[in-house]
Amino acid sequence: MAAELVLVPSVLLDRLAAVGIDPARVLRHAGIARERFRAPKTRLTVGEFFAFWRAIAAVSGSGAFGLRIGAEAHPHQFDVAALAALHAPTFGDALVIVARYKRVVCGETLGVETVGAEARVAFHWVHVDDALPLLLVDAAFASLVMLARRGTGRPVRPLRVELARRPADAALLRHHFGCAVRFDAPGDVLVFDAAALALPFATHNADLLAVLLPGLESALGERLSGHSVTDDVRLAVGRRMRGERPSVQAVATELHMSPRTLQRRLGALGTTYQHVLDEVRHDTSRRLLGSTDLDAAEVAFLLGFDEVNSFARAFSTWEGRTPTRWRAASPASRPLGRSGGSADALERGRAE
């Protein structure tokens, strides 16, 4: 993982306590000193941040808590991007704000893709080659749905939730989001009716946005001062790992440059488009083989390989063993701390 830092508000510990989780136990389990949270905000490496969320799973022993942490936050506990989004004119505008300014807080980005009558919303992490903590994904999705509901004042529901994980806590997730849940998906995606993007926010405040956005724009500039085109290419390629081999032409078009310019800029950084594509394929294959029950042929298809043998040869070059042998040796057959909870468990947790 990269050394990029995640800005974590100390009130996150208050949110843990509010849902019945001992913050001190979580920090001890994650190996993070409590003193680092004395200030209003602390900076964790991505590795520490993921360890923190895995510790929540281990200490709580239930998948319900990721949903509760995301859904039960109060506005004063929002990060700056979410706070600005709450005051946007519409749900679609709110997503645009989160998509632009999420990087102020961490190495996570949000992508919104409208396909026909559906709006697909997905979070992506830059420079992450490990499976995401499941409670972190659940909290992020629950937080986004909560933002839609709080802003519109309506019981907004996704059409479905797609999760890149093995089936677990299905009833719990269906109960919380009020929609179908698809497991063993190629990525973690919230799917809304595209018409929901036009829903007006009752919390819209143009004056407050005028105050918040210049500061966010300045902070974003500072955050991305070391940003390179390689990061943009990795994200663009990663978003296309759904059964196509992302061409340099398609990625260059998305990044508003010619293929020749893109290749030249990558070359100046000592890399090539093919090298970045191989890196993303490698990282994605590890996550899918470690976190889902997709077989090697299905993974090969999602990564855009013409045939499974080509994928097997590439994976053997990356890892020194075939996909099947790598999966058999992987300790990630089941994520730590998931108890196979139920909707009843979530309701019991809310009542405590």
Side-chain angles (χ1 to χ4, degrees):
M1 290 189 185
E4 184 169 1
L5 300 180
V6 181
L7 192 62
V8 182
S10 297
V11 293
L12 181 56
L13 301 186
D14 298 333
R15 290 167 66 179
L16 294 185
V19 299
I21 300 174
D22 183 357
R25 286 187 62 198
V26 170
L27 292 174
R28 284 197 301 272
H29 196 283
I32 300 172
R34 179 65 178 84
E35 290 70 24
R36 295 178 66 179
F37 285 85
R38 298 297 182 194
K41 298 176 182 177
T42 190
R43 287 174 169 80
L44 302 179
T45 66
V46 175
E48 289 174 328
F49 186 63
F50 282 13
F52 176 81
W53 279 93
R54 293 193 174 105
I56 295 173
V59 168
S60 68
S62 172
F65 287 98
L67 299 171
R68 293 189 63 198
I69 292 167
E72 298 179 16
H74 299 288
H76 74 275
Q77 298 171 326
F78 287 6
D79 62 43
V80 288
L83 184 61
L86 182 62
H87 300 291
T90 67
F91 180 40
D93 293 321
L95 292 177
V96 169
I97 289 174
V98 175
R100 180 159 183 79
Y101 299 114
K102 189 68 176 175
R103 289 295 304 276
V104 171
V105 181
C106 61
E108 185 182 33
T109 66
L110 180 143
V112 182
E113 181 184 18
T114 301
V115 181
E118 295 184 346
R120 299 174 56 85
V121 183
F123 289 99
H124 301 273
W125 281 80
V126 184
H127 299 303
V128 169
D129 57 4
D130 195 7
L132 301 181
L134 302 191
L135 263 67
L136 175 58
V137 174
D138 293 349
F141 279 9
S143 177
L144 199 60
V145 172
M146 177 271 294
L147 175 68
R149 293 171 178 172
R150 190 184 294 269
T152 64
R154 304 182 188 185
V156 178
R157 294 182 179 183
L159 295 177
R160 66 183 176 278
V161 178
E162 301 177 2
L163 298 171
R165 69 180 71 164
R166 297 179 175 89
D169 295 336
L172 173 71
L173 293 162
R174 285 196 300 266
H175 176 82
H176 181 86
F177 291 108
C179 66
V181 179
R182 173 192 168 193
F183 295 97
D184 288 328
D188 299 307
V189 183
L190 273 175
V191 183
F192 292 94
D193 186 328
L197 301 183
L199 290 174
F201 267 23
T203 53
H204 173 47
N205 187 325
D207 292 336
L208 187 56
L209 276 180
V211 172
L212 291 174
L213 292 184
L216 281 170
E217 196 65 32
S218 176
L220 180 65
E222 293 180 10
R223 180 82 179 191
L224 299 183
S225 58
H227 179 77
S228 74
V229 70
T230 306
D231 296 334
D232 294 330
V233 173
R234 284 182 61 90
L235 286 169
V237 169
R239 285 192 291 269
R240 286 171 166 75
M241 288 290 130
R242 298 199 303 270
E244 66 172 288
R245 184 189 186 280
S247 68
V248 64
Q249 176 68 59
V251 171
T253 298
E254 179 177 334
L255 300 181
H256 307 292
M257 62 182 76
S258 69
R260 183 176 180 180
T261 298
L262 176 58
Q263 293 278 32
R264 185 173 66 250
R265 292 183 62 180
L266 289 172
L269 296 171
T271 189
T272 65
Y273 178 78
Q274 184 62 48
H275 181 73
V276 176
L277 174 62
D278 287 343
E279 284 185 334
V280 176
R281 280 175 155 178
H282 182 193
D283 294 346
T284 305
S285 65
R286 284 173 53 93
R287 286 199 294 273
L288 292 177
L289 290 169
S291 301
T292 75
D293 286 327
L294 295 169
D295 62 32
E298 291 170 312
V299 174
F301 168 76
L302 291 171
L303 300 184
F305 283 91
D306 293 331
E307 55 183 29
V308 67
N309 287 339
S310 298
F311 166 57
R313 287 193 296 271
F315 192 87
S316 295
T317 299
W318 298 328
E319 292 291 334
R321 65 183 77 182
T322 66
T324 301
R325 290 181 177 177
W326 183 91
R327 172 178 269 167
S330 173
S333 60
R334 283 286 174 181
L336 182 65
R338 295 306 286 249
S339 63
S342 64
D344 291 339
L346 180 57
E347 292 305 311
R348 287 196 299 271
R350 284 176 172 163
E352 291 175 357

